[in-house]
Amino acid sequence: MPSTAHGAGRAGDPDPGPRLPSLHGDAASGVPVPVRVAAAWSWRLLVVVAAVGLFGYLLSTVAVVVIPVLIAGLLAGLLFPLVRWARSHRVPAGAAAGLTVLGLVGVVVGLLVLAGRQIVAGFAEVSGSAVTGVRQLLDRLEGTPFGWDVGTFDDWIGDVGLTVQDNSQAILDGAMSFGSTAGHVLTGVVILLFTLFFLLMDGERIWLFLVRLFPVPVRRAVNGAGRHGWTALVQYARAQGLVAALDAVGIGVGAALLGVPLALPIGILVFLGSFIPIVGAVVTGAVAVLVALVANGTTTALLMLGVVLLVQQLEGNVLQPLIMGKAVSVHPLAVFLAVATGAVLYGIVGALFAVPVVAFLNTVVRYLAGGEWRTDDEIDGEPFYHPWEIRRQVRRHGLTRQQLHARLQRFHRARAADRRRAAAARANEDAG
């Protein structure tokens, strides 16, 4: 049988035909560089968006757990100075955390009881004023081209009653759904209180445990970024709480001076609503004006509107630059877009946590991008203990000399940092 030359096709093999160009050869070289760069960025952004979306979806499936934990984190930042002060006066960490949580529960329950009594006491007055106001409005509209009169109003009431009767099963299903929601709220409150207690008692130890889950080369960066992000989050929560309290006092006192009923519940509503930037202030202010309109008439409602606008102008032009500007360096447009996006994606909860998340991410990204963790002296691998707590640990657990030295150094570094911050604050006050 005759042999074939090397590289020659065999007699029985079909003609392979024209070959396609290599993917990374002629075809890739034919694509312009800007298009290739845009494609590389596009698929990476798609992967990031998909990962963030998947993470958000997974969190939404356990929202009953995640939301209380996030709220507990904000409350822990607000209340931790009380625990630290109690520990400095030889109160054990567990007792200090427990007393702080009980105090918080007592304050919240007391405000709810006081507001509830005011609502019950003022309900008759508000309801009577509302009916009188509606009747007066219908009397004014009677004879107008709209053709509205008392008979039309009564017909509407009758139609509402028939609608309720026809949809009784749907209303019953809604009531059962409300009962399920109330159960979720109760579960969330229990999770919040337990989480808050352990964060106040062992928050830094929990954080250091999480840091040790990362590879050794990145632990210092993760530790520093987390601590600075937490500081920004706490500063935001404290500043927003102060602004909300001032808004509540201003609008509540204004309502009381104008003789508007339910002044205390209005103040509490303003305080809670002010934690949602921009949106909360507008909605709660509108509620205050509406109550004044229903209960006291048009003149008082206009005066109440003036009080609300005055308080909000003071907040936007004085309080926000002085208090919030020092706490969180986020542009107002970023705040607005964050609140809008959070509200669209996750409703009220998204609007509530949008700005804290943006402030946290802004601080963490800037800290890591600037490489500040390489020279940061405030990064500690040991939790903070007072000297009396360290001595007790020596007696109970027999710390090694190295552990004892590390914890004493941590205490002295924290005290030195506190003194530096206090000196910087005094210098800023003197300069201002």
Side-chain angles (χ1 to χ4, degrees):
M1 177 179 294
S3 61
T4 58
H6 180 70
R10 297 182 180 179
D13 293 341
D15 184 10
R19 295 183 178 180
L20 293 175
S22 173
L23 179 62
H24 300 289
D26 297 335
S29 63
V31 179
V33 173
V35 176
R36 278 185 278 174
V37 172
W41 273 100
S42 297
W43 73 259
R44 287 174 172 84
L45 289 176
L46 288 175
V47 170
V48 171
V49 170
V52 172
L54 178 61
F55 182 70
Y57 171 76
L58 293 177
L59 289 182
S60 65
T61 59
V62 289
V64 178
V65 177
V66 173
I67 294 174
V69 170
L70 294 177
I71 297 176
L74 291 177
L75 292 176
L78 292 173
L79 300 175
F80 185 74
L82 295 177
V83 176
R84 190 167 179 177
W85 176 85
R87 287 171 57 187
S88 68
H89 289 75
R90 296 180 175 271
V91 178
L99 291 174
T100 303
V101 173
L102 290 177
L104 174 65
V105 172
V107 170
V108 172
V109 172
L111 288 176
L112 290 178
V113 170
L114 186 59
R117 288 182 178 179
Q118 291 238 343
I119 291 174
V120 172
F123 180 76
E125 179 184 355
V126 173
S127 60
S129 301
V131 173
T132 303
V134 171
R135 294 292 180 179
Q136 292 177 353
L137 179 61
L138 291 175
D139 291 338
R140 294 177 183 177
L141 292 176
E142 192 172 1
T144 61
F146 297 102
W148 290 342
D149 54 16
V150 178
T152 304
F153 180 74
D154 294 336
D155 292 339
W156 287 352
I157 298 297
D159 293 339
V160 171
L162 292 176
T163 303
V164 170
Q165 293 178 0
D166 295 338
N167 297 274
S168 58
Q169 185 61 41
I171 295 174
L172 180 61
D173 294 340
M176 295 177 65
S177 175
F178 175 79
S180 176
T181 302
H184 289 167
V185 170
L186 180 61
T187 303
V189 170
V190 174
I191 294 173
L192 186 153
L193 294 178
F194 271 92
T195 305
L196 177 60
F197 171 77
F198 285 108
L199 287 179
L200 292 175
M201 184 177 67
D202 281 330
E204 194 171 15
R205 290 177 56 190
I206 295 172
W207 167 247
L208 292 174
F209 169 78
L210 295 176
V211 170
R212 295 187 186 99
L213 298 178
F214 288 85
V216 175
V218 300
R219 286 181 185 175
R220 182 176 176 83
V222 171
N223 194 355
R227 288 178 182 274
H228 280 73
W230 170 256
T231 301
L233 199 62
V234 170
Q235 289 176 345
Y236 166 80
R238 292 175 182 173
Q240 190 64 38
L242 179 58
V243 171
L246 294 176
D247 285 350
V249 170
I251 294 178
V253 171
L257 293 177
L258 292 174
V260 178
L262 307 179
L264 178 62
I266 288 174
I268 296 175
L269 180 63
V270 170
F271 176 76
L272 297 176
S274 296
F275 279 92
I276 302 177
I278 301 173
V279 178
V282 174
V283 173
T284 55
V287 171
V289 174
L290 181 61
V291 172
L293 176 63
V294 170
N296 300 83
T298 306
T299 303
T300 305
L302 292 176
L303 293 175
M304 189 71 240
L305 177 61
V307 170
V308 171
L309 292 178
L310 176 62
V311 170
Q312 292 181 357
Q313 287 299 315
L314 289 175
E315 175 196 342
N317 297 321
V318 179
L319 298 180
Q320 290 286 354
L322 289 178
I323 300 175
M324 192 64 67
K326 294 181 180 180
V328 181
S329 56
V330 179
H331 195 275
L333 179 60
V335 172
F336 174 76
L337 294 178
V339 172
T341 304
V344 170
L345 294 178
Y346 301 107
I348 296 178
V349 176
L352 176 63
F353 288 104
V355 178
V357 169
V358 169
F360 179 84
L361 293 178
N362 177 50
T363 303
V364 169
V365 170
R366 292 172 61 183
Y367 180 86
L368 294 176
E372 299 177 24
W373 52 273
R374 295 186 178 91
T375 58
D376 192 351
D377 295 331
E378 297 185 7
I379 299 178
D380 289 290
E382 288 288 336
F384 176 85
Y385 294 107
H386 292 276
W388 73 271
E389 293 175 316
I390 297 174
R391 289 194 296 269
R392 190 178 64 172
Q393 290 175 354
V394 171
R395 291 194 302 266
R396 291 186 176 182
H397 306 292
L399 299 179
T400 63
R401 183 179 296 274
Q402 183 179 4
Q403 291 174 326
L404 176 62
H405 183 66
R407 296 186 181 186
L408 288 175
Q409 277 191 330
R410 170 74 170 95
F411 171 77
H412 291 300
R413 282 198 302 269
R415 282 300 178 89
D418 291 339
R419 287 194 292 268
R420 287 196 299 270
R421 282 191 289 267
R426 286 194 299 268
N428 291 332
E429 291 178 358
D430 295 338

